[in-house]
Amino acid sequence: MNIWRAFSSIHCLTYLFPYLGVVMTPQVWIYLFLLLSATAYGVYNFRDLTLPYRLLIAQVFLVLLSEITSQVIRHFILSSFPVYYVLIPALLLFNSLIYRTLFKSSIVLKEIVTIVAIILLVIHWYLSLCTSEVWTESFPSISLMLLSLFTISVSLLVFIQMLYSPIMIPLQKQAIFWWNSGNLFFYSVTFFIFGYFRYIKGLGQNMPEWSYTQIWLASMVMYSCHFTSLYFNRKKSNLKNGNDQ
Amino acid sequence: MEMTNDETTPILIGTIGMSIMATFIIVFVILYRKAQFKFELERQQFKQALLAAEVEIREQTLEDVSMDLHDNIGQIASIVKMNLSIISENLSEEDHLRVTEAKVLLSKLIADIKSLTYLLDRKNYKHVSLLRLLEDDIARINRLELIDIKLENNLQSFKFNSETSIFLYRMYQEMLNNALKHSEATEALVEIYTFQGNLIFRFRDNGIGLDSFTVKPYLKHSNGKGMKNIMERCKIIGATVEVIGIRNKGTSITISLPT
């Protein structure tokens, strides 16, 4: 991966966005920088990574693209909601694929993950196409909460599997620990915030500003954990050490 | 600015949620470390059991060989000696001398087979002390005049359990085998003594030695199974082994067993 090419792309974007009238807050820039760094690191070390983490790079790259796209289209149609109608099922697909590769020794769990993911995809598209209002006016919060619930459940199963099949590598050097902890943290925060403000308090789209900051912070934690997991997976492959996933 | 109930409730719930998550991670880390420790313990126990099984299989094989030697080869040698005695009565003087020489050699063969049979079958020396075994074996080797071995010890009243005795004896046999095959030594010294709560068993020879490295690199470069057998037996009885070799000045193998 040519680091200079990546840098010059960012350089172009910094001119492109103001030209299009798109103004991005420092929060967004930091977020994009983290996503781009993780993607660049993953692509550069692609050959040294195992299958689940190669899928993770693709997922992070997709999130990066969707974030840029949402910033641009928000300027034109005043809403970034349509992006999430595509991003959420894509995240569901990637998460289920990655978790499938992690449940190596249990065919039953693999099949359960696949079936649940398919069911949730069907529910999402049904809600999006048949019951939802115009995409620009409503956020797919039910789909997001279902995705959060799915990921929280599966990540807890992975933690249980780790307890039953420990490996002799320190926990803080295991890629799966970082990846799973990041997912658990982010999706727990997201599930709580959406569940509380939209459905318990009944605020609908009018969530307080600080809740979006919380979600942003949680996503920063998640992608930092993902970056760390890429680092340890690559190191493990280089050392040819242990049976870490 | 005072916070309303509407603002404090989610903060409170969020804080409780974060605390639960932090507690979960801490508990998971503790449980995982316990699981790792238990897994490592089970792995070590499995390795020990595997080693013990391998050693048992070898001992069983030696017992089978001992039985075959006694039942087949020993019997055949005795029959050949008997037949020679029968035919020697009607021979010329020259042939009679040759047959007598053959009978002497056969007698020696039968004695050696008996001795080997005795040494290979551990049932024969389960109730014999280690020192007695070593003395007998050293006497036998010295008679062959391949190497001059001495035994030194200060263990008159020391009691070994039979398993440890057998293991130490087998390790001595491996060391002797290495010395005879590879070291070109003319003299060897076997020392057994106690020192600071440990039983020290040392085999030293004056052979060609090794380069000055210790047992692990020696094992890497060695194709023979002798040292590996010694290492495995030491692991089973909880002893440590140290190999020191100096080029052209001999080799010393020291086994240290806590008592």
Side-chain angles (χ1 to χ4, degrees), chain A residues 17 56 69 89 119:
Chain A
F17 286 144
L56 177 61
T69 310
I119 292 171

Side-chain angles (χ1 to χ4, degrees), chain B residues 151-162:
Chain B
L151 173 65
E152 286 179 7
N153 75 89
N154 66 353
L155 300 176
Q156 275 71 26
S157 57
F158 192 89
K159 294 262 186 246
F160 293 91
N161 70 48
S162 63

Side-chain angles (χ1 to χ4, degrees), chain A residues 157-169:
Chain A
L157 280 174
V158 168
F159 276 128
I160 291 171
Q161 185 186 248
M162 285 173 74
L163 281 177
Y164 279 112
S165 311
I167 56 172
M168 301 316 295
I169 297 174

Side-chain angles (χ1 to χ4, degrees), chain A residues 92 94-103 109-110 112-114 116-117 120 146-162 176 179-180 183-184 187, chain B residues 24:
Chain A
L92 180 62
F94 273 109
N95 278 349
S96 62
L97 282 173
I98 295 172
Y99 277 115
R100 259 188 69 93
T101 61
L102 293 177
F103 288 128
L109 280 175
K110 271 188 183 180
I112 290 174
V113 165
T114 309
V116 170
L120 293 180
L146 287 174
L147 169 65
S148 302
L149 205 56
F150 169 77
T151 310
I152 290 167
S153 308
V154 186
S155 68
L156 289 174
L157 280 174
V158 168
F159 276 128
I160 291 171
Q161 185 186 248
M162 285 173 74
I176 188 172
W179 182 73
N180 215 33
N183 276 353
L184 184 64
Y187 286 103
Chain B
F24 170 79

Side-chain angles (χ1 to χ4, degrees), chain A residues 156 159 162-163 166-172 174 177 181 184-185 188-189 192 196-197 201 210, chain B residues 5-7 9-11 13-14 18 21 24-25 28-29 31-33 35-37 39-40 43:
Chain A
L156 289 174
F159 276 128
M162 285 173 74
L163 281 177
I167 56 172
M168 301 316 295
I169 297 174
L171 193 60
Q172 68 275 14
Q174 290 186 36
F177 172 70
S181 300
L184 184 64
F185 181 77
S188 302
V189 168
F192 163 70
Y196 180 78
F197 286 111
K201 293 295 285 183
W210 63 261
Chain B
N5 267 345
D6 276 352
E7 287 169 345
T9 309
I11 290 171
I13 297 173
M18 286 292 126
M21 207 172 308
F24 170 79
I25 295 287
F28 176 77
V29 168
L31 287 176
Y32 193 79
R33 287 224 171 116
Q36 277 180 320
F37 180 74
F39 177 73
E40 182 60 26
R43 199 164 74 159

